[in-house]
Amino acid sequence: MHMCCAPCATFPVELLKEKGLDVEGLFYNPNIHPYEEFKKREEQVKKLSEIYKIKVHFLPDFEQQLWEEMKDKSKNRCGTCYQKRIARLFKFAKVEKFDAVTTSMLVSPYQDHEKIKELATMYSEKYGIPFYYEDFRVGYREGQEKAKEHGFYKQRYCGCVLSLLETIEQISAEEKQKRMVANG
Ligand code: SF4
C-alpha cells in the first residue's frame, strides 16, 4: 500500500488487516514541501508501522526539483503528482514481487478519486500487477478519529508548495472574516 500519510493510511490498513491480508507499506511522497514537513510525515508513518506491526518501505526521495516543477505545471499538478507516485509504486511492487497494489490516497474525499483510480488501473495493466481497488472514503472519518487516538500529527495541507500557499491564504481569509464579524 502506498501511504501518503499516517492519518490517511489508518483506515485502509485496519480494513485490510481485518480482511486477513498481509499488508506492507510504501512511503514515497516526494511532493511534500518543505523538508521538515516531509520528515514529520515520514516519522508518523514509522509510528504507524510500529503500532500496526507492518513493514513499511521508505524511499527517502525528497525531490525539491519535483515541487519546483509543479509550480510550472500548476494546471495539472495533481495529475502529475498522482502519476509520479503511482508509477513508482507499481515499479517497486514489480521489482519486489508483490501480489497487488493499492494506495491510501483512495481514502481522502479531498483528492481526485477517479483520477487516482484511472492511473492505478493504467499502471496495473502496464506492470501486470493487480490494482486492489476499494473506495476507502467510507471510512475516512473513522480513520481520522482513530489517527487522533494514536496521536498522529495531522497536517493542514495536502503536500506541495502550492497547496501550502492555498491553505495559508484560506486561513488568513477565515481570520479576516472572523475579525469582521467580531467587530460587527
Ligand atoms: S495538492 Fe496534493 S495532490 Fe495536488 S499536487 Fe499538491 S501535493 Fe500533489
Side-chain angles (χ1 to χ4, degrees), residues 9-21 23 132 134-136 138:
T10 300
F11 176 75
V13 165
E14 287 207 349
L15 186 72
L16 298 188
K17 277 177 74 85
E18 268 169 32
K19 288 186 175 190
L21 296 171
V23 185
Y132 181 96
E134 190 146 345
D135 191 348
F136 295 128
V138 291

PDB file of all heavy atoms in Angstrom, residues 9-21 23 132 134-136 138:
ATOM      1  N   ALA A   9      -3.574   6.595   6.051  1.00  0.00           N
ATOM      2  CA  ALA A   9      -3.309   5.154   5.938  1.00  0.00           C
ATOM      3  C   ALA A   9      -4.026   4.346   7.020  1.00  0.00           C
ATOM      4  O   ALA A   9      -4.216   3.140   6.873  1.00  0.00           O
ATOM      5  CB  ALA A   9      -1.808   4.891   6.004  1.00  0.00           C
ATOM      6  N   THR A  10      -4.450   5.010   8.091  1.00  0.00           N
ATOM      7  CA  THR A  10      -5.003   4.286   9.239  1.00  0.00           C
ATOM      8  C   THR A  10      -6.205   3.396   8.888  1.00  0.00           C
ATOM      9  O   THR A  10      -6.194   2.196   9.168  1.00  0.00           O
ATOM     10  CB  THR A  10      -5.398   5.291  10.359  1.00  0.00           C
ATOM     11  OG1 THR A  10      -4.210   5.992  10.741  1.00  0.00           O
ATOM     12  CG2 THR A  10      -5.975   4.596  11.565  1.00  0.00           C
ATOM     13  N   PHE A  11      -7.226   3.968   8.265  1.00  0.00           N
ATOM     14  CA  PHE A  11      -8.419   3.167   7.956  1.00  0.00           C
ATOM     15  C   PHE A  11      -8.113   2.033   6.966  1.00  0.00           C
ATOM     16  O   PHE A  11      -8.467   0.873   7.235  1.00  0.00           O
ATOM     17  CB  PHE A  11      -9.565   4.049   7.442  1.00  0.00           C
ATOM     18  CG  PHE A  11     -10.763   3.249   7.038  1.00  0.00           C
ATOM     19  CD1 PHE A  11     -11.597   2.683   8.003  1.00  0.00           C
ATOM     20  CD2 PHE A  11     -11.050   3.015   5.694  1.00  0.00           C
ATOM     21  CE1 PHE A  11     -12.689   1.905   7.629  1.00  0.00           C
ATOM     22  CE2 PHE A  11     -12.138   2.247   5.310  1.00  0.00           C
ATOM     23  CZ  PHE A  11     -12.965   1.687   6.282  1.00  0.00           C
ATOM     24  N   PRO A  12      -7.455   2.314   5.829  1.00  0.00           N
ATOM     25  CA  PRO A  12      -7.174   1.215   4.899  1.00  0.00           C
ATOM     26  C   PRO A  12      -6.345   0.095   5.524  1.00  0.00           C
ATOM     27  O   PRO A  12      -6.617  -1.082   5.289  1.00  0.00           O
ATOM     28  CB  PRO A  12      -6.393   1.898   3.759  1.00  0.00           C
ATOM     29  CG  PRO A  12      -6.786   3.327   3.825  1.00  0.00           C
ATOM     30  CD  PRO A  12      -7.044   3.612   5.274  1.00  0.00           C
ATOM     31  N   VAL A  13      -5.377   0.444   6.364  1.00  0.00           N
ATOM     32  CA  VAL A  13      -4.557  -0.592   6.990  1.00  0.00           C
ATOM     33  C   VAL A  13      -5.424  -1.467   7.900  1.00  0.00           C
ATOM     34  O   VAL A  13      -5.374  -2.696   7.839  1.00  0.00           O
ATOM     35  CB  VAL A  13      -3.390   0.040   7.809  1.00  0.00           C
ATOM     36  CG1 VAL A  13      -2.761  -0.971   8.750  1.00  0.00           C
ATOM     37  CG2 VAL A  13      -2.334   0.595   6.877  1.00  0.00           C
ATOM     38  N   GLU A  14      -6.246  -0.819   8.709  1.00  0.00           N
ATOM     39  CA  GLU A  14      -7.109  -1.596   9.618  1.00  0.00           C
ATOM     40  C   GLU A  14      -8.036  -2.506   8.840  1.00  0.00           C
ATOM     41  O   GLU A  14      -8.220  -3.667   9.160  1.00  0.00           O
ATOM     42  CB  GLU A  14      -7.941  -0.639  10.493  1.00  0.00           C
ATOM     43  CG  GLU A  14      -7.103   0.027  11.560  1.00  0.00           C
ATOM     44  CD  GLU A  14      -7.916   0.430  12.787  1.00  0.00           C
ATOM     45  OE1 GLU A  14      -9.155   0.384  12.714  1.00  0.00           O
ATOM     46  OE2 GLU A  14      -7.292   0.782  13.795  1.00  0.00           O
ATOM     47  N   LEU A  15      -8.633  -1.958   7.790  1.00  0.00           N
ATOM     48  CA  LEU A  15      -9.583  -2.727   6.993  1.00  0.00           C
ATOM     49  C   LEU A  15      -8.920  -3.939   6.335  1.00  0.00           C
ATOM     50  O   LEU A  15      -9.434  -5.056   6.398  1.00  0.00           O
ATOM     51  CB  LEU A  15     -10.201  -1.819   5.915  1.00  0.00           C
ATOM     52  CG  LEU A  15     -11.307  -2.434   5.090  1.00  0.00           C
ATOM     53  CD1 LEU A  15     -12.585  -2.582   5.913  1.00  0.00           C
ATOM     54  CD2 LEU A  15     -11.601  -1.584   3.853  1.00  0.00           C
ATOM     55  N   LEU A  16      -7.781  -3.710   5.709  1.00  0.00           N
ATOM     56  CA  LEU A  16      -7.124  -4.812   5.006  1.00  0.00           C
ATOM     57  C   LEU A  16      -6.605  -5.876   5.977  1.00  0.00           C
ATOM     58  O   LEU A  16      -6.634  -7.061   5.679  1.00  0.00           O
ATOM     59  CB  LEU A  16      -5.993  -4.285   4.110  1.00  0.00           C
ATOM     60  CG  LEU A  16      -6.436  -3.321   2.996  1.00  0.00           C
ATOM     61  CD1 LEU A  16      -5.292  -3.015   2.057  1.00  0.00           C
ATOM     62  CD2 LEU A  16      -7.608  -3.874   2.191  1.00  0.00           C
ATOM     63  N   LYS A  17      -6.171  -5.420   7.136  1.00  0.00           N
ATOM     64  CA  LYS A  17      -5.722  -6.392   8.140  1.00  0.00           C
ATOM     65  C   LYS A  17      -6.906  -7.220   8.660  1.00  0.00           C
ATOM     66  O   LYS A  17      -6.795  -8.417   8.855  1.00  0.00           O
ATOM     67  CB  LYS A  17      -5.007  -5.677   9.292  1.00  0.00           C
ATOM     68  CG  LYS A  17      -3.531  -5.384   8.947  1.00  0.00           C
ATOM     69  CD  LYS A  17      -2.845  -4.613  10.050  1.00  0.00           C
ATOM     70  CE  LYS A  17      -2.524  -5.441  11.272  1.00  0.00           C
ATOM     71  NZ  LYS A  17      -1.268  -6.175  11.227  1.00  0.00           N
ATOM     72  N   GLU A  18      -8.037  -6.534   8.847  1.00  0.00           N
ATOM     73  CA  GLU A  18      -9.253  -7.248   9.279  1.00  0.00           C
ATOM     74  C   GLU A  18      -9.653  -8.311   8.265  1.00  0.00           C
ATOM     75  O   GLU A  18     -10.214  -9.337   8.600  1.00  0.00           O
ATOM     76  CB  GLU A  18     -10.412  -6.260   9.413  1.00  0.00           C
ATOM     77  CG  GLU A  18     -10.553  -5.671  10.812  1.00  0.00           C
ATOM     78  CD  GLU A  18     -11.537  -4.506  10.837  1.00  0.00           C
ATOM     79  OE1 GLU A  18     -12.517  -4.520  10.049  1.00  0.00           O
ATOM     80  OE2 GLU A  18     -11.283  -3.597  11.620  1.00  0.00           O
ATOM     81  N   LYS A  19      -9.380  -8.014   7.003  1.00  0.00           N
ATOM     82  CA  LYS A  19      -9.720  -8.976   5.944  1.00  0.00           C
ATOM     83  C   LYS A  19      -8.698 -10.106   5.858  1.00  0.00           C
ATOM     84  O   LYS A  19      -8.783 -10.951   4.980  1.00  0.00           O
ATOM     85  CB  LYS A  19      -9.782  -8.250   4.597  1.00  0.00           C
ATOM     86  CG  LYS A  19     -11.005  -7.358   4.469  1.00  0.00           C
ATOM     87  CD  LYS A  19     -11.106  -6.778   3.073  1.00  0.00           C
ATOM     88  CE  LYS A  19     -12.410  -5.997   2.934  1.00  0.00           C
ATOM     89  NZ  LYS A  19     -12.702  -5.608   1.570  1.00  0.00           N
ATOM     90  N   GLY A  20      -7.688 -10.026   6.687  1.00  0.00           N
ATOM     91  CA  GLY A  20      -6.690 -11.089   6.724  1.00  0.00           C
ATOM     92  C   GLY A  20      -5.601 -10.938   5.676  1.00  0.00           C
ATOM     93  O   GLY A  20      -4.862 -11.893   5.406  1.00  0.00           O
ATOM     94  N   LEU A  21      -5.497  -9.760   5.088  1.00  0.00           N
ATOM     95  CA  LEU A  21      -4.468  -9.573   4.063  1.00  0.00           C
ATOM     96  C   LEU A  21      -3.124  -9.205   4.700  1.00  0.00           C
ATOM     97  O   LEU A  21      -3.082  -8.547   5.743  1.00  0.00           O
ATOM     98  CB  LEU A  21      -4.897  -8.476   3.079  1.00  0.00           C
ATOM     99  CG  LEU A  21      -6.160  -8.808   2.271  1.00  0.00           C
ATOM    100  CD1 LEU A  21      -6.649  -7.598   1.500  1.00  0.00           C
ATOM    101  CD2 LEU A  21      -5.878  -9.938   1.297  1.00  0.00           C
ATOM    102  N   VAL A  23      -0.304  -6.979   4.684  1.00  0.00           N
ATOM    103  CA  VAL A  23      -0.060  -5.652   4.118  1.00  0.00           C
ATOM    104  C   VAL A  23       1.356  -5.140   4.405  1.00  0.00           C
ATOM    105  O   VAL A  23       1.849  -5.276   5.516  1.00  0.00           O
ATOM    106  CB  VAL A  23      -1.057  -4.615   4.711  1.00  0.00           C
ATOM    107  CG1 VAL A  23      -0.898  -3.254   4.052  1.00  0.00           C
ATOM    108  CG2 VAL A  23      -2.487  -5.087   4.592  1.00  0.00           C
ATOM    109  N   TYR A 132      -5.555  -3.303  -6.267  1.00  0.00           N
ATOM    110  CA  TYR A 132      -6.593  -3.592  -5.275  1.00  0.00           C
ATOM    111  C   TYR A 132      -7.379  -2.307  -5.074  1.00  0.00           C
ATOM    112  O   TYR A 132      -6.915  -1.387  -4.396  1.00  0.00           O
ATOM    113  CB  TYR A 132      -5.961  -4.058  -3.962  1.00  0.00           C
ATOM    114  CG  TYR A 132      -6.990  -4.391  -2.905  1.00  0.00           C
ATOM    115  CD1 TYR A 132      -7.413  -5.707  -2.709  1.00  0.00           C
ATOM    116  CD2 TYR A 132      -7.563  -3.393  -2.135  1.00  0.00           C
ATOM    117  CE1 TYR A 132      -8.384  -5.999  -1.765  1.00  0.00           C
ATOM    118  CE2 TYR A 132      -8.533  -3.676  -1.182  1.00  0.00           C
ATOM    119  CZ  TYR A 132      -8.937  -4.980  -1.007  1.00  0.00           C
ATOM    120  OH  TYR A 132      -9.894  -5.269  -0.071  1.00  0.00           O
ATOM    121  N   GLU A 134     -10.544  -0.221  -3.641  1.00  0.00           N
ATOM    122  CA  GLU A 134     -11.638  -0.184  -2.686  1.00  0.00           C
ATOM    123  C   GLU A 134     -11.902   1.294  -2.414  1.00  0.00           C
ATOM    124  O   GLU A 134     -10.961   2.089  -2.333  1.00  0.00           O
ATOM    125  CB  GLU A 134     -11.231  -0.917  -1.397  1.00  0.00           C
ATOM    126  CG  GLU A 134     -12.395  -1.118  -0.498  1.00  0.00           C
ATOM    127  CD  GLU A 134     -12.362  -2.429   0.310  1.00  0.00           C
ATOM    128  OE1 GLU A 134     -11.585  -3.348   0.015  1.00  0.00           O
ATOM    129  OE2 GLU A 134     -13.151  -2.492   1.239  1.00  0.00           O
ATOM    130  N   ASP A 135     -13.177   1.631  -2.301  1.00  0.00           N
ATOM    131  CA  ASP A 135     -13.496   3.032  -2.007  1.00  0.00           C
ATOM    132  C   ASP A 135     -13.353   3.232  -0.494  1.00  0.00           C
ATOM    133  O   ASP A 135     -14.317   3.114   0.255  1.00  0.00           O
ATOM    134  CB  ASP A 135     -14.915   3.372  -2.470  1.00  0.00           C
ATOM    135  CG  ASP A 135     -15.165   4.877  -2.414  1.00  0.00           C
ATOM    136  OD1 ASP A 135     -14.323   5.596  -1.815  1.00  0.00           O
ATOM    137  OD2 ASP A 135     -16.184   5.337  -2.964  1.00  0.00           O
ATOM    138  N   PHE A 136     -12.127   3.526  -0.092  1.00  0.00           N
ATOM    139  CA  PHE A 136     -11.841   3.685   1.332  1.00  0.00           C
ATOM    140  C   PHE A 136     -12.496   4.929   1.929  1.00  0.00           C
ATOM    141  O   PHE A 136     -12.465   5.129   3.136  1.00  0.00           O
ATOM    142  CB  PHE A 136     -10.321   3.784   1.558  1.00  0.00           C
ATOM    143  CG  PHE A 136      -9.532   2.542   1.207  1.00  0.00           C
ATOM    144  CD1 PHE A 136      -8.429   2.609   0.375  1.00  0.00           C
ATOM    145  CD2 PHE A 136      -9.890   1.303   1.737  1.00  0.00           C
ATOM    146  CE1 PHE A 136      -7.684   1.476   0.067  1.00  0.00           C
ATOM    147  CE2 PHE A 136      -9.155   0.162   1.433  1.00  0.00           C
ATOM    148  CZ  PHE A 136      -8.046   0.251   0.594  1.00  0.00           C
ATOM    149  N   VAL A 138     -15.382   5.601   2.549  1.00  0.00           N
ATOM    150  CA  VAL A 138     -16.450   5.296   3.519  1.00  0.00           C
ATOM    151  C   VAL A 138     -15.920   5.333   4.956  1.00  0.00           C
ATOM    152  O   VAL A 138     -16.683   5.544   5.899  1.00  0.00           O
ATOM    153  CB  VAL A 138     -17.104   3.916   3.249  1.00  0.00           C
ATOM    154  CG1 VAL A 138     -17.911   3.933   1.973  1.00  0.00           C
ATOM    155  CG2 VAL A 138     -16.049   2.809   3.211  1.00  0.00           C
TER     156      VAL A 138
END
